[in-house]
């Protein structure tokens, strides 16, 4: 929070990010509601769900392109792309007045996907500014934690607001598209005030640009990103732990819903309220952890935080198939989620520190892509067991996997000081 108030340049970047996130959060929910109103609603909702995943397949390409964008044009691209996104949603608002045919719906989906891809590219460009204006691990962690926490707050608040507003406004989908359009226009405008500083940063980056690196092909660039990750043993270990954790975490919502559909003793009033409560407790816990940077856990190593998270996730699993206490369900979910709010900003700040400007967003994208690979794996294994056998067996297997990951993280935490010390010595020797 202190970084936000003290660093005006970061504040401008954060405000721009938050404004675009508000519009996107509102419209993504509303677009799903729109799909549900169409004659072919089952297919439409499925298409929207799949389309939302499309940008993840382009993360590495987006990261490479952002790294190899000429810094001289960076600020102009950021402002211009925000304007293009705003125009896309103005066009979408007009199209929403027409009857919902399959052809029209396909056009709306394409517009939404293109905007998401442009948004990811813009975020990657902005990441280069953050690397230049944020200095030191503490400032990086504080700033990135604040940004992550605020995006979680925006997601929760404006999803709830959108669900209420769409009813109050009698399904006026065009109005929400216009709101999203305005959010992108304003997100660009708030950066214009500091345009001289951003252009100065662009000139400085251009002066330092390694001409050879700027001509690198994607294969060479990604190869360097992978070597950067592998050469840093603590970071590589955290990548493996993150992959294991995401394999479990990605299947958590589905597994919880499947069990709650069959076990009324865990309900808090009704099924929908209970599912929402579990999700809200987890999200709130992550948000508080990201925003509260001085809670003492900043002194814990990343594997130690992972151990705590996985241990309480194992207790959560035991409760789901054995004790079946609704209060314990919420408490363990909150405690298991809290360390995650600490882990993500610290891993990001480590990448910012280790990686040069020519490979920053490509390295970040590689890590994000590898971690996301765990999502389908976890869903296939645990939801497959739940459907082929029964939910209780799936939770037993889930709990056992959480214990194994916790033990692995504990062993890593035990060796962590040696690993970090060895890595630091290697960096000094290299320098």
């Amino acid at each position: 929070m202190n970084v936000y108030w003290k660093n005006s340049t970061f504040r401008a970047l954060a405000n721009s990010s938050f404004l675009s996130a508000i519009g996107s959060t509102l419209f993504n929910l509303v677009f799903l509601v729109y799909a549900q109103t169409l004659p072919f609603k089952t297919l439409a909702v499925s298409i929207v769900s799949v389309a939302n995943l499309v940008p993840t397949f382009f993360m590495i390409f987006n990261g490479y392109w952002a790294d190899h964008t000429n810094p001289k044009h960076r600020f102009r691209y950021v402002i211009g792309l925000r304007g293009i996104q705003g125009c896309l949603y103005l066009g979408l608002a007009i199209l929403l007045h027409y009857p919902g045919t399959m052809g029209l719906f396909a056009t709306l989906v394409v517009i939404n996907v293109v905007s998401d891809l442009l948004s990811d590219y813009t975020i990657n460009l902005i990441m280069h500014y953050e690397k230049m204006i944020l200095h030191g691990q503490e400032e990086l962690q504080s700033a990135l934690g604040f940004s992550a926490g605020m995006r979680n707050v925006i997601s929760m608040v404006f999803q709830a607001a959108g669900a209420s507003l769409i009813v109050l406004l009698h399904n006026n989908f065009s109005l929400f598209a216009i709101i999203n359009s305005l959010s992108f226009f304003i997100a660009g405008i708030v950066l214009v005030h500091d345009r001289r500083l951003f252009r100065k940063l662009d000139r400085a980056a251009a002066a330092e640009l390694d001409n050879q690196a700027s001509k690198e092909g994607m294969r060479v660039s990604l190869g360097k990103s992978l070597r950067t990750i592998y050469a840093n043993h603590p970071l590589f270990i955290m990548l493996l732990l993150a992959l294991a954790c995401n394999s479990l975490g990605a299947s958590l919502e589905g597994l919880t819903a499947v069990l709650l559909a069959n076990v009324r003793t865990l309900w808090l009033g009704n099924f929908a309220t209970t599912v929402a409560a579990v999700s809200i407790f987890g999200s709130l816990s992550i948000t508080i952890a990201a925003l509260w940077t001085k809670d003492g856990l900043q002194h814990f190593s990343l594997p130690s935080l992972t151990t705590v998270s996985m241990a309480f996730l194992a207790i959560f699993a035991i409760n789901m198939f054995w004790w079946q206490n609704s209060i314990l369900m919420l408490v363990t979910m909150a405690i298991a989620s809290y360390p995650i709010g600490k882990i993500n900003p610290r891993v990001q700040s480590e990448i910012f520190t280790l990686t040069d400007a020519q490979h920053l967003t490509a390295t970040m994208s590689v890590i994000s892509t590898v971690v996301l690979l765990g999502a389908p794996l976890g869903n296939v294994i645990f939801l497959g067991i739940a459907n082929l056998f029964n939910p209780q067996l799936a939770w037993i297997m889930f709990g056992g996997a959480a214990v194994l990951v916790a033990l692995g993280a504990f062993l890593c935490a035990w060796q962590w000081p040696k690993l970090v010390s060895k890595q630091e010595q290697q960096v000094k020797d290299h320098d």
Side-chain angles (χ1 to χ4, degrees):
M1 182 69 79
N2 287 337
V3 179
Y4 177 80
W5 293 115
K6 292 180 179 180
N7 191 323
S8 61
T9 310
F10 172 72
R11 186 165 62 247
L13 291 171
N15 288 341
S16 177
S17 174
F18 299 155
L19 283 164
S20 62
I22 288 171
S24 296
T25 300
L26 279 172
F27 189 78
N28 286 342
L29 173 65
V30 170
F31 195 43
L32 201 59
V33 175
Y34 169 76
Q36 196 271 334
T37 65
L38 297 173
F40 45 94
K41 60 183 179 182
T42 302
L43 176 61
V45 170
S46 300
I47 290 173
V48 171
S49 300
V50 172
N52 287 337
L53 297 175
V54 169
T56 61
F57 299 115
F58 291 88
M59 283 194 303
I60 291 177
F61 301 99
N62 241 326
Y64 170 80
W65 292 327
D67 283 340
H68 291 77
T69 296
N70 192 323
K72 292 180 181 178
H73 309 306
R74 188 178 292 152
F75 183 70
R76 188 168 71 242
Y77 284 178
V78 169
I79 299 297
L81 291 174
R82 290 300 191 204
I84 290 172
Q85 287 180 277
C87 292
L88 284 174
Y89 279 99
L90 281 180
L92 195 145
I94 295 170
L95 291 175
L96 283 168
H97 286 292
Y98 293 93
T101 63
M102 176 58 83
L104 177 69
F105 177 69
T107 303
L108 299 178
V109 170
V110 170
I111 290 174
N112 208 40
V113 170
V114 169
S115 177
D116 287 345
L117 290 171
L118 293 178
S119 186
D120 287 348
Y121 177 64
T122 306
I123 290 169
N124 285 335
L125 291 177
I126 288 174
M127 205 177 291
H128 284 270
Y129 287 128
E130 292 175 335
K131 180 177 175 63
M132 287 186 281
I133 64 174
L134 298 172
H135 308 288
Q137 284 284 357
E138 186 175 346
E139 187 175 61
L140 275 167
Q141 289 174 27
S142 178
L144 296 174
F146 173 76
S147 295
M150 286 303 299
R151 281 193 293 270
N152 285 338
V153 170
I154 288 168
S155 178
M156 288 185 289
V157 170
F158 286 92
Q159 277 192 34
S164 302
L165 283 173
I166 193 64
V167 175
L168 292 174
L169 297 174
H170 306 291
N171 286 357
N172 190 339
F173 302 113
S174 292
L175 179 58
F176 281 90
I178 292 172
I179 292 172
N180 198 17
S181 174
L182 290 174
S183 75
F184 285 121
F185 285 132
I186 299 172
I189 291 170
V190 298
L191 295 177
V192 173
H193 178 269
D194 294 315
R195 61 188 179 279
R196 291 181 180 176
L197 178 56
F198 287 117
R199 285 170 179 162
K200 182 179 178 181
L201 291 172
D202 288 343
R203 288 193 295 271
E208 296 177 3
L209 182 65
D210 182 341
N211 291 324
Q212 187 62 37
S214 67
K215 297 177 182 177
E216 282 179 352
M218 184 175 291
R219 184 182 299 176
V220 175
S221 179
L222 294 180
K224 287 187 177 180
S225 296
L226 289 169
R227 285 194 293 275
T228 298
I229 297 167
Y230 182 73
N232 186 286
H233 293 160
L235 182 61
F236 182 68
I237 287 171
M238 276 311 304
L239 177 61
L240 296 179
L241 288 176
L243 176 62
C245 291
N246 200 48
S247 298
L248 296 175
S251 61
L252 193 60
E253 184 177 349
L255 268 181
T256 300
V258 168
L259 185 72
L260 290 175
N262 295 279
V263 180
R264 290 176 175 264
T265 55
L266 282 165
W267 284 11
L268 300 165
N270 58 58
F271 172 74
T273 302
T274 310
V275 172
V278 173
S279 177
I280 289 169
F281 266 68
S283 297
L284 275 176
S285 184
I286 291 173
T287 301
I288 293 169
L291 293 174
W292 188 14
T293 58
K294 302 293 184 180
D295 58 358
L297 290 185
Q298 69 268 24
H299 303 301
F300 282 57
S301 69
L302 291 170
S304 297
L305 293 172
T306 306
T307 302
V308 173
S309 181
M310 290 298 101
F312 276 92
L313 202 59
I315 297 172
F316 179 87
I318 294 171
N319 179 61
M320 295 299 278
F321 71 79
W322 191 4
W323 301 315
Q324 296 188 341
N325 182 294
S326 56
I327 302 301
L328 185 60
M329 173 180 67
L330 297 179
V331 171
T332 51
M333 172 54 66
I335 298 175
S337 300
Y338 193 84
I340 296 172
K342 302 291 182 187
I343 292 170
N344 293 336
R346 285 174 62 177
V347 170
Q348 287 183 14
S349 67
E350 184 75 11
I351 298 167
F352 269 64
T353 304
L354 287 171
T355 314
D356 59 79
Q358 281 76 40
H359 306 94
L360 174 63
T361 53
T363 304
M364 195 77 78
S365 300
V366 167
I367 289 176
S368 298
T369 302
V370 171
V371 171
L372 285 173
L373 290 175
L377 178 64
N379 276 301
V380 168
I381 294 175
F382 298 112
L383 289 177
I385 294 173
N387 283 277
L388 290 173
F389 299 98
N390 58 69
Q392 284 78 10
L393 178 61
W395 275 108
I396 292 172
M397 299 299 291
F398 182 95
V403 169
L404 290 176
V405 176
L407 288 173
F410 177 76
L411 291 174
C412 292
W414 186 33
Q415 295 294 322
W416 195 253
K418 295 180 181 178
L419 289 170
V420 172
S421 177
K422 184 178 179 181
Q423 183 63 38
E424 290 175 347
Q425 186 60 48
Q426 287 177 350
V427 171
K428 289 179 181 178
D429 294 340
H430 182 268
D431 293 341

